[in-house]
Every structure is written in structure tokens, then in C-alpha cells.
Amino acid sequence: MKKRVLFCLVAGLACGGFFTSCSDDDDPTNDEIVVCPVGQTTYTDASGLVLTYSGQPVLGKQVVFAPDANDGSKATLTISGVLDLSSLTGMMAGRQDASAIGVPGVIPGQVTTTIPVDLTVSGDEVSFEGTTDQDGCTIAYEGSASEGGLTLNLNVTMPANDLTNTTWTVVPFDDVTYQSIPIHFVWESSKDITIMPGYALPVSTIVEMALRLPLLGDQSVNGALTQVFHSVTFNADGNITAEYKKNMTDAEWATSPLNMAQYTANAGSLQLYLNPSQIMANIQNSRLSRSTTSDILANLMRVVLPMLSQGVSMKYVIEDNNMKVYLGTDVLLPLLEALAPMFQDEAFLQQIMDMVANDPTMGAMAGMVGPVLEQLPDVIAGTTNMEVGVNFQK
């Protein structure tokens, strides 16, 4: 009797274990291994990247999609800038490694942005969506990836500063009393410009006079600026947008595209981040010839390139409802030194003098322009302070 009870007990335990193990295998609550269908891939404009920032396209960036080796439901997106100089002739003279050139990332002030994401797998595609806080920025993201391409939409709120969500209008030009002048200009040099034997003027005085004269038909440079440039807005996402006119005869102001220029600001210092790919796309849609734009950029590239990832350093001063924003000596002098050889080129000087001579308003000044331009390299070498910018009102 005891043996029969023991046998039934053992048999019952064995059957129970058998059915329990079968039940465990079929339990739908068990975690299944998730395999990411997309391997580590670098996406660019040319290889399937569709990137937007604040709902508008962004060019000149790359996104590296890297799945987690230990968890197929997770991945990392690494966003940075790329710069293709192959289409710009003469740009890389003296530079052996184009990959060493830093360009801005997608978020102002960040050369590289890394976002960990949770993946939803659907066939051969993954999708992701979420929000993250980095360096005071709130980044909302959503997108999808496959072997053939990656879509990423970003909406970013930058840390607030005293320019956030403000709009500033270019001050009007008072051509009678000159109490209101849109162009902020200072140029101090130990070398003056000799106008005639025994008579010299500071270069700042000459330039300020030139900016007030009707050199553009019946318009001065100051006056023309107010006709084509109306206002600038510093947006909460770090974008700078401007109201401008493509032609002075246009009836309405146009608004510049997003993602061409971005900024960070703090206590009078402003960093301006330019997207070279976005700017070139817009320039090539303008009336300038490709050769002209390439030549202009090539002359400045050695100075300008380091500014891309670091940003262009600017100053701003706010007094009541007025603000001046300007480039300082630290930025302008290297640019002038890069351009100085142009003023020693006879062909270039002749071209300028011919242009002046053929202008009805400026023709009488043609004989003076050449000697003045020839002195500019010495003036540049003696420069101690320089400020060039725009005066705004809120």
C-alpha cells in the first residue's frame, strides 16, 4: 500500500513537471529576443538622410545609427556636420585632409549630438520617438530607419537668454543730421590714408563718408541697407531669421529660410553658427555665377573654415530699446589680412577704378580711388580696433 502511494506521488510530480515545462514554453509573457534589422550605418544627404529641424529641412549633416550590441530594442543616434568641398574649385589648396575640417552640428553650440533611443521594430524598419534634455536644451525627436535611409525630425528648445524670442528692426537712416545710422562702423589704425600730398584722413572717416554718399544710384549704402534688410528675429530653437528683400523693388519682405544661421548668446557675447551647405544651396539658386562664388569663398576659406564649428564670435550691446550687433577686431582683422593681397593686384584695382569711372555719380572720384585702395594693406597692418555691424531698435 505504501509503495502504491509513493508511486502515485512520484508519477504525479513527474506529470506536473512535464505539463509545467510545456506551459512555460508556450507562455506568451516570456520575453523574446529582439533583433534590430538595421546594422550600424552612416546616413548623409547623399545616402538617404532626411533631417528636419523645427519642421524645415537641414542639409550638410550626417547621422550615425548604431544599434546596441546587447539589446536589439535600443540604439544610439550620433549627429554631426559634414562639408563637401569637392564642388568648389581651389578651396582645398594647401589642405590635405578635408575630413579634419570642423563644421557645426545640428544644435547651436554642439559639434556632435548623441541621442540614445528606444526602438520599435517592424519588419526591416525601426522607429523611435522621445524627448531628452542635454546641456540645457530640450530635444524632442521622432523618426525611422532602414538599410536604405533614415528620417529624423527634431524640435529643440534652447536655454533662454536675453535675445530669445525678440525681434529687432534696422534703425532708419537720417541723412540730414546723421543721428540715426543703420551701419555701426569703427576702424582705428596707426596708418592714415593720404588723400593728397600733405593731407591725410583716418580710414574710419573716409569709410563713414563713403557709406553716406549716394554711391548706389541715388542711394547711399546706409540707405540701401534699410531698403533690403528690415529685421532679425532670435528664435527659441536657436535659429536666426531675417526679413529682407531679394530686390529693392519688391513690395513685400521675404523671410529667410530656417537652419541657415543659428546662435547662442550670453552677457553680450553672441556666437553665430552658419550652415555652409544650406548657404551654398541658396547661393547657387541666386544670380551669382558658380565660378564667382567659388573664387570669393576660396579667398576667405582658410580664415572662415575654423569659424564653422566654433561659431563666429560677435558682440551685442543692448541699451533701452536699442541694440548694436557687430564683429570685433578678433574676427575682422584676420579677414582683412586674408584680403589684403587683393589691393596689391593691378588687375583687381583696375577693375574697381573702371567701375568707378563708369558710374555717373562716382566718376569724378576715379583718380582718387586707386591710390586709396593701394594704401589699404598698410592701414590693415596698423589696425588696432575694428567694429562692423548693424544698429537695431526693438
Side-chain angles (χ1 to χ4, degrees):
M1 182 68 179
K2 290 181 179 179
K3 291 182 178 179
R4 182 179 298 175
V5 171
L6 181 60
F7 173 78
C8 291
L9 179 62
V10 172
L13 290 173
C15 290
F18 173 76
F19 286 115
T20 300
S21 63
C22 289
S23 174
D24 283 346
D25 287 345
D26 295 335
D27 187 354
T29 63
N30 282 355
D31 292 335
E32 296 182 359
I33 297 176
V34 176
V35 177
C36 180
V38 183
Q40 179 162 326
T41 309
T42 299
Y43 300 91
T44 65
D45 296 336
S47 61
L49 175 62
V50 179
L51 176 63
T52 68
Y53 188 99
S54 295
Q56 296 298 314
V58 185
L59 301 177
K61 311 301 176 188
Q62 70 175 19
V63 178
V64 178
F65 176 89
D68 190 315
N70 300 313
D71 188 344
S73 67
K74 297 182 181 297
T76 300
L77 306 177
T78 303
I79 313 166
S80 58
V82 292
L83 181 59
D84 180 12
L85 298 178
S86 61
S87 61
L88 301 176
T89 60
M91 195 72 67
M92 295 306 298
R95 286 184 174 270
Q96 300 301 317
D97 185 9
S99 64
I101 300 170
V103 291
V106 70
I107 296 176
Q110 295 186 13
V111 175
T112 300
T113 300
T114 300
I115 304 176
V117 298
D118 294 324
L119 302 176
T120 298
V121 179
S122 177
D124 60 356
E125 183 177 273
V126 297
S127 59
F128 40 84
E129 183 175 2
T131 303
T132 182
D133 293 320
Q134 297 183 15
D135 299 330
C137 304
T138 299
I139 308 169
Y141 60 87
E142 65 92 14
S144 61
S146 65
E147 292 293 346
L150 182 143
T151 297
L152 177 59
N153 304 310
L154 299 175
N155 286 281
V156 178
T157 301
M158 298 291 292
N161 56 69
D162 51 10
L163 296 179
T164 301
N165 284 331
T166 61
T167 297
W168 301 82
T169 304
V170 179
V171 302
F173 178 45
D174 179 356
D175 59 359
V176 178
T177 66
Y178 302 113
Q179 295 300 306
S180 175
I181 299 177
I183 296 178
H184 172 73
F185 186 84
V186 176
W187 191 350
E188 298 172 357
S189 173
S190 59
K191 174 67 175 178
D192 290 341
I193 296 286
T194 299
I195 304 300
M196 60 183 66
Y199 183 68
L201 287 173
V203 64
S204 188
T205 301
I206 294 174
V207 175
E208 287 174 352
M209 291 172 57
L211 294 176
R212 298 175 184 178
L213 293 173
L215 303 181
L216 304 173
D218 59 351
Q219 284 276 7
S220 66
V221 176
N222 271 298
L225 178 64
T226 63
Q227 297 297 311
V228 297
F229 181 23
H230 182 243
S231 68
V232 62
T233 297
F234 298 90
N235 297 284
D237 66 352
N239 264 299
I240 298 177
T241 53
E243 285 189 322
Y244 71 105
K245 289 185 179 179
K246 298 179 181 179
N247 299 292
M248 294 176 67
T249 56
D250 290 349
E252 302 293 334
W253 297 105
T255 301
S256 62
L258 292 179
N259 306 321
M260 289 180 60
Q262 296 176 313
Y263 77 102
T264 57
N266 182 39
S269 294
L270 184 153
Q271 289 295 116
L272 175 65
Y273 301 93
L274 302 175
N275 184 338
S277 298
Q278 205 93 0
I279 292 171
M280 283 304 302
N282 280 271
I283 288 177
Q284 289 170 2
N285 289 328
S286 71
R287 296 174 180 174
L288 291 176
S289 69
R290 190 177 188 87
S291 61
T292 298
T293 56
S294 296
D295 290 344
I296 293 171
L297 290 172
N299 288 336
L300 298 175
M301 198 52 62
R302 288 183 180 84
V303 179
V304 172
L305 281 178
M307 297 180 187
L308 293 179
S309 60
Q310 302 165 14
V312 181
S313 297
M314 304 184 73
K315 307 291 185 184
Y316 68 95
V317 178
I318 299 176
E319 296 177 347
D320 298 325
N321 286 324
N322 297 307
M323 177 176 70
K324 57 184 177 184
V325 180
Y326 60 90
L327 297 168
T329 311
D330 57 331
V331 174
L332 293 170
L333 188 55
L335 291 173
L336 285 175
E337 289 171 343
L339 292 174
M342 294 173 59
F343 302 109
Q344 296 172 321
D345 184 278
E346 293 183 3
F348 172 76
L349 293 177
Q350 188 61 53
Q351 185 178 13
I352 297 297
M353 288 187 287
D354 290 344
M355 181 184 70
V356 173
N358 293 327
D359 187 286
T361 305
M362 301 171 61
M365 303 172 59
M368 184 187 304
V369 170
V372 168
L373 293 177
E374 289 173 353
Q375 296 177 65
L376 283 181
D378 290 336
V379 173
I380 293 170
T383 296
T384 55
N385 183 40
M386 196 170 190
E387 298 175 4
V388 177
V390 179
N391 293 315
F392 296 94
Q393 58 189 13
K394 199 168 186 180

